[in-house]
Amino acid sequence: MPKFAIVSEGPTDQVVLDRVISLICESGFEDDVIVNFAQPIRDETDSNKSEIGGWELVLEYCSTRISDALASNDYVVIQIDTDCGEEVNFGVPLTSGGQDRPFVDLIADVERLIAGKIGEPLFSKFKERFIFAVSVHSLESWLLLYFFSDGRTKNSFEKLQYRFKTKWNYNRFEKEVGCYQLITKKIKQKDLNSFVGGDHSFGVFLKRLTELESLTALIPDDADNGRLNSPAPGENIEARSVDEA
């Protein structure tokens, strides 16, 4: 059974990614898909509000513990929003010459940033097992597009709240696991297929999922399964198993 580890900004992002990965990938693999939560670990955050996470912890995990996810999973999905791109430690400009930068350029910059955090030789050796989920400008932008055909990418959470209230009579929608579990149940595979390869960051992520190769073709027999986590000179880093959900 193919295993996917999710490294994301928060548990609500994990809820959405879990649903999307399962729907897209289960039709492409003979066995059921298993999704594990690497960052943040769900047991620490499942009490509802997403307070343990953020883009900084995603980058930190990629720098220090990504081999954990590789050691016990076939693929590692790394999700990060671009809305904080201009923060000092993020360093991805959102505009150029007073205009919003194209989403493809933002995705390329963020992927380079993450690859640099993972480091060499680990990234090059296992790059086919990394799946980037760069959401421009937030994962809520994907939900806004999916449910309401609204391609705007700024202030998406507030727009979702308004749409759910006025269109679905949801008087309460917050950044809580329970709320996201409720709405993601409405995501269907046949509808997701229409977004694959679309002119948006959601389409880029979905296309990557549909292009996954079989694991037998992807991982050589002598693969060390991610235990080469580019240590500093003289440092011995041992891979640790990812806690399964």
Side-chain angles (χ1 to χ4, degrees):
M1 291 184 286
K3 294 183 179 181
F4 291 76
I6 296 178
V7 178
S8 67
E9 292 202 14
T12 56
D13 302 311
Q14 291 173 340
V15 171
V16 178
L17 292 170
D18 185 356
R19 178 69 173 174
V20 171
I21 292 168
S22 297
L23 289 174
I24 291 292
C25 294
E26 283 186 351
S27 61
F29 291 95
E30 294 181 0
D31 298 322
D32 291 338
V33 170
I34 296 175
V35 177
N36 298 315
F37 305 121
Q39 168 59 39
I41 297 174
R42 181 65 67 84
D43 289 346
E44 296 177 2
T45 55
D46 206 21
S47 59
N48 242 340
K49 295 203 173 181
S50 51
E51 297 176 353
I52 303 174
W55 62 268
E56 292 165 307
L57 291 183
V58 170
L59 297 181
E60 179 182 335
Y61 187 96
C62 290
S63 297
T64 61
R65 297 186 58 203
I66 200 69
S67 61
D68 298 8
L70 282 171
S72 52
N73 295 276
D74 302 304
Y75 297 100
V76 181
V77 177
I78 303 172
Q79 181 271 330
I80 195 167
D81 297 333
T82 60
D83 55 355
C84 293
E86 294 184 338
E87 295 286 337
V88 174
N89 293 327
F90 205 139
V92 174
L94 302 182
T95 60
S96 177
Q99 300 293 321
D100 291 339
R101 296 179 64 205
F103 76 91
V104 290
D105 292 347
L106 295 178
I107 291 174
D109 281 358
V110 174
E111 289 184 354
R112 279 192 291 269
L113 172 65
I114 295 173
K117 295 295 182 181
I118 293 171
E120 296 294 349
L122 192 69
F123 180 74
S124 293
K125 187 174 181 65
F126 299 106
K127 63 182 178 181
E128 295 302 320
R129 293 172 59 192
F130 293 116
I131 303 170
F132 295 117
V134 181
S135 36
V136 180
H137 286 294
S138 68
L139 195 135
E140 284 72 26
S141 302
W142 295 0
L143 296 176
L144 190 66
L145 177 65
Y146 177 86
F147 286 118
F148 302 108
S149 300
D150 189 336
R152 292 176 293 176
T153 58
K154 298 178 181 178
N155 303 312
S156 297
F157 178 73
E158 290 76 14
K159 290 182 175 68
L160 268 181
Q161 282 185 312
Y162 177 77
R163 290 296 189 105
F164 284 139
K165 182 176 181 179
T166 58
K167 300 293 185 180
W168 292 9
N169 294 319
Y170 282 13
N171 291 321
R172 184 179 181 278
F173 178 72
E174 301 295 338
K175 275 224 170 187
E176 299 176 356
V177 167
C179 291
Y180 279 68
Q181 287 174 331
L182 181 65
I183 64 166
T184 54
K185 289 179 180 178
K186 300 180 181 294
I187 297 177
K188 307 298 181 183
Q189 181 184 351
K190 62 181 179 65
D191 297 323
L192 282 176
N193 290 337
S194 66
F195 292 94
V196 174
D199 194 26
H200 37 70
S201 61
F202 190 32
V204 172
F205 172 62
L206 293 175
K207 187 171 187 294
R208 175 71 178 100
L209 289 178
T210 62
E211 293 173 342
L212 293 180
E213 303 176 32
S214 67
L215 296 180
T216 53
L218 182 63
I219 305 174
D221 293 337
D222 60 350
D224 59 19
N225 212 30
R227 289 177 170 84
L228 289 178
N229 190 22
S230 52
E235 184 182 5
N236 181 22
I237 298 178
E238 294 183 354
R240 300 174 296 277
S241 296
V242 177
D243 293 334
E244 293 192 2

